[in-house]
Amino acid sequence: MRPDSALPADDILVADLRNGVESSFALVVDAWSGSMLRLARSFVSTHASAEEVVQEAWLAVLQGIDRFEGRSSLKTWVYRILVNLAKKRGVKEHRIVPFAVLTAEDEGPSVDPARFRPPGDPYPGHWVAGGKPQPWPEPGSAAEQAETGRVLAAAVAALPARQRAVLTLRDIEGYSAEEVCAMLEVSAGNQRVLLHRARSTVRAALEEYFAAD
């Protein structure tokens, strides 16, 4: 859960940040830095690089708070700063391509077409026998839960940067589609495509793990 409910209203935070109130700055740093780090890691090559991006973002917030016009929430503004810095770092590290444009890695079928009945079948497009996703077993022991968590984390880490960023914000951090579009400056349609493909890829990895298990 995001701890935003414990924070003062934006107008109070903005005034405090402009007036150099250290306690208010500490509040937002504590509340948002964890998710900012996870988001930055979607764009850059190492955890250390992500930490540097977060530090640069907070410095940019302090330097630019007088220019904040309130057209978005304070949080969205902060995250946009973070994303812009992370994207620049990712480009330098040759990790990402332009973010807002869908590319070949975001196209094509997200589920193996062989799992559906072909054209000409009495029920084209329906699941073939055994093709429909099956419920996963509940991991029993702590060791099984930890192993499932590792498989899930590896699947998310392997996603392309755009897909990973959207999945991180939507399914891990719990932001709405509208918030994600604002933070990443992508269209609603692109956000849906990226999220669908990311979820499909992660689900496929978990299906493979449970089938092998």
Side-chain angles (χ1 to χ4, degrees), residues 39-62:
L39 179 57
R41 188 65 180 85
S42 300
F43 298 94
V44 300
S45 57
T46 67
H47 185 82
S49 186
E51 289 181 327
E52 291 178 3
V53 169
V54 173
Q55 292 173 2
E56 290 174 10
W58 283 122
L59 179 59
V61 168
L62 291 178

Side-chain angles (χ1 to χ4, degrees), residues 1-8 13 17 22-38 54 58 75 78-79 173 175:
M1 294 293 292
R2 290 175 290 156
D4 296 6
S5 59
L7 295 176
L13 284 175
L17 293 179
E22 293 184 4
S23 58
S24 291
F25 181 63
L27 280 177
V28 292
V29 169
D30 289 344
W32 299 342
S33 287
S35 60
M36 288 170 67
L37 181 63
R38 288 186 287 272
V54 173
W58 283 122
K75 185 174 210 175
V78 170
Y79 274 60
E173 304 300 336
Y175 292 101

Side-chain angles (χ1 to χ4, degrees), residues 4 27 48 54 65 83 114-115 117 143 152 166 177 182 192 198-199:
D4 296 6
L27 280 177
V54 173
I65 190 63
V83 168
R115 300 177 69 170
R117 294 180 182 274
L152 178 60
V166 172
R192 285 193 296 271
R199 286 173 172 172

Side-chain angles (χ1 to χ4, degrees), residues 24-187:
S24 291
F25 181 63
L27 280 177
V28 292
V29 169
D30 289 344
W32 299 342
S33 287
S35 60
M36 288 170 67
L37 181 63
R38 288 186 287 272
L39 179 57
R41 188 65 180 85
S42 300
F43 298 94
V44 300
S45 57
T46 67
H47 185 82
S49 186
E51 289 181 327
E52 291 178 3
V53 169
V54 173
Q55 292 173 2
E56 290 174 10
W58 283 122
L59 179 59
V61 168
L62 291 178
Q63 292 175 339
I65 190 63
D66 286 338
R67 297 190 298 274
F68 176 68
E69 298 178 348
R71 296 179 181 177
S72 65
S73 70
L74 177 64
K75 185 174 210 175
T76 295
W77 181 74
V78 170
Y79 274 60
R80 281 179 180 169
I81 291 173
L82 172 83
V83 168
N84 287 333
L85 290 170
K87 284 192 291 187
K88 290 178 182 178
R89 178 71 67 94
V91 169
K92 289 181 180 179
E93 295 175 352
H94 306 291
R95 178 173 170 82
I96 65 171
V97 295
F99 188 86
V101 179
L102 294 179
T103 64
E105 67 191 8
D106 306 313
E107 299 172 351
S110 55
V111 179
D112 185 355
R115 300 177 69 170
F116 301 96
R117 294 180 182 274
D121 186 274
Y123 304 99
H126 288 226
W127 295 104
V128 300
K132 184 176 181 179
Q134 302 300 310
W136 297 322
E138 287 288 338
S141 67
E144 290 174 337
Q145 293 176 7
E147 179 60 23
T148 301
R150 283 191 288 270
V151 172
L152 178 60
V156 173
L159 290 170
R162 290 173 296 281
Q163 296 178 26
R164 183 179 177 188
V166 172
L167 183 75
T168 297
L169 287 171
R170 288 294 310 278
D171 292 349
I172 298 176
E173 304 300 336
Y175 292 101
S176 69
E178 292 76 14
E179 288 174 311
V180 173
C181 289
M183 290 175 183
L184 300 181
E185 297 183 286
V186 297
S187 69

